[in-house]
């Protein structure tokens, strides 16, 4: 029963099993090799991207956070800030403060506009000393003045529009 042929076949089978395990391990290690292709990591390298195999330690994959579904709305969330009532006296005080702030801004912007108009001189600002020889500098300054003047005019118009919205009298329901 224990013939030499039996030991031979048992040794061959054992050797072939060992070789197949080693070969499978080598193949799985090769298939699990990680490559760095620029800023991307992959196990399927692209020859055009000059991928380099990573050596040493193992790559750890950390899953990101999951997006949660829609949350149940709060009881008063649909009403928002519009549902908050403000006392009429407080609202008048806020409106007066807003109007005073807008008036101050309007005066400051009108003063700036007047200064720009004075410097603009009907489209022909006075040339500065360095602008007599360099006409491009003069043209650049004229262009900047024109843009600043247009901005100031738009600011004045916007502030006046906001002031007209604030100064609309509140109707009390009585007929005029």
């Amino acid at each position: 029963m224990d013939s030499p042929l039996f030991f031979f076949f048992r040794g061959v089978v054992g050797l072939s099993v060992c070789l197949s395990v080693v070969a499978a391990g080598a193949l799985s290690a090769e298939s699990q090799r990680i490559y760095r292709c620029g800023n991307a990591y992959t196990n399927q390298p692209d020859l055009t991207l000059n991928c380099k195999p990573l050596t040493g330690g193992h790559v750890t994959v950390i899953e990101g956070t999951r997006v949660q579904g829609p949350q149940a709305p709060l009881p008063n969330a649909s009403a928002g800030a519009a549902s908050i009532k403000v006392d009429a006296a407080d609202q008048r005080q806020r409106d007066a403060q807003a109007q005073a702030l807008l008036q101050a801004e309007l005066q400051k912007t009108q003063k700036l506009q007047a200064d720009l108009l004075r410097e603009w001189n009907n489209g022909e600002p006075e040339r500065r000393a360095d602008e007599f020889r360099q006409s491009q500098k003069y043209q650049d300054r004229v262009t900047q003045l024109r843009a600043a003047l247009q901005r100031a005019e738009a600011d004045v118009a916007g502030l006046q529009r906001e002031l007209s919205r604030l100064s609309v009298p509140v109707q009390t329901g009585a007929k005029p």
Side-chain angles (χ1 to χ4, degrees):
M1 295 204 164
D2 290 332
S3 70
L5 194 58
F6 174 74
F7 287 114
F8 175 74
F9 282 120
R10 196 168 114 185
V12 169
V13 170
L15 183 62
S16 64
V17 169
C18 287
L19 287 176
S20 64
V21 168
V22 169
L27 285 177
S28 69
E30 185 63 34
S31 67
Q32 291 181 358
R33 182 169 235 170
I34 305 296
Y35 296 88
R36 181 175 182 178
C37 304
N39 288 335
Y41 295 91
T42 182
N43 59 351
Q44 298 174 347
D46 186 3
L47 298 175
T48 61
L49 295 177
N50 191 20
C51 298
K52 297 179 182 171
L54 292 178
T55 57
H58 297 284
V59 175
T60 303
V61 177
I62 300 173
E63 291 187 31
T65 58
R66 302 212 185 275
V67 178
Q68 295 180 357
Q71 306 237 344
L74 297 175
N76 283 336
S78 62
S83 68
I84 299 173
K85 298 290 182 183
V86 178
D87 186 35
D90 288 342
Q91 188 60 47
R92 279 193 297 274
Q93 183 182 10
R94 289 179 185 179
D95 289 344
Q97 288 174 346
Q99 190 168 11
L101 181 69
L102 287 171
Q103 283 288 348
E105 278 295 313
L106 178 63
Q107 289 174 358
K108 187 171 83 170
T109 306
Q110 285 175 335
K111 182 182 180 308
L112 175 68
Q113 183 184 17
D115 292 343
L116 287 171
L117 276 172
R118 194 173 312 108
E119 187 178 353
W120 176 248
N121 194 21
N122 291 327
E124 295 181 8
E126 289 187 28
R127 289 182 183 258
R128 295 178 181 162
D130 61 337
E131 296 172 341
F132 281 109
R133 292 189 182 147
Q134 299 174 351
S135 63
Q136 185 60 41
K137 258 189 165 179
Y138 177 73
Q139 293 299 326
D140 292 343
R141 187 168 66 92
V142 169
T143 304
Q144 289 174 351
L145 269 173
R146 182 181 304 124
L149 192 56
Q150 289 172 346
R151 248 188 331 269
E153 288 172 356
D155 289 347
V156 166
L159 288 167
Q160 287 174 338
R161 192 171 43 250
E162 287 298 317
L163 279 169
S164 69
R165 287 182 190 160
L166 281 179
S167 62
V168 173
V170 178
Q171 294 190 4
T172 58
K175 294 187 176 181

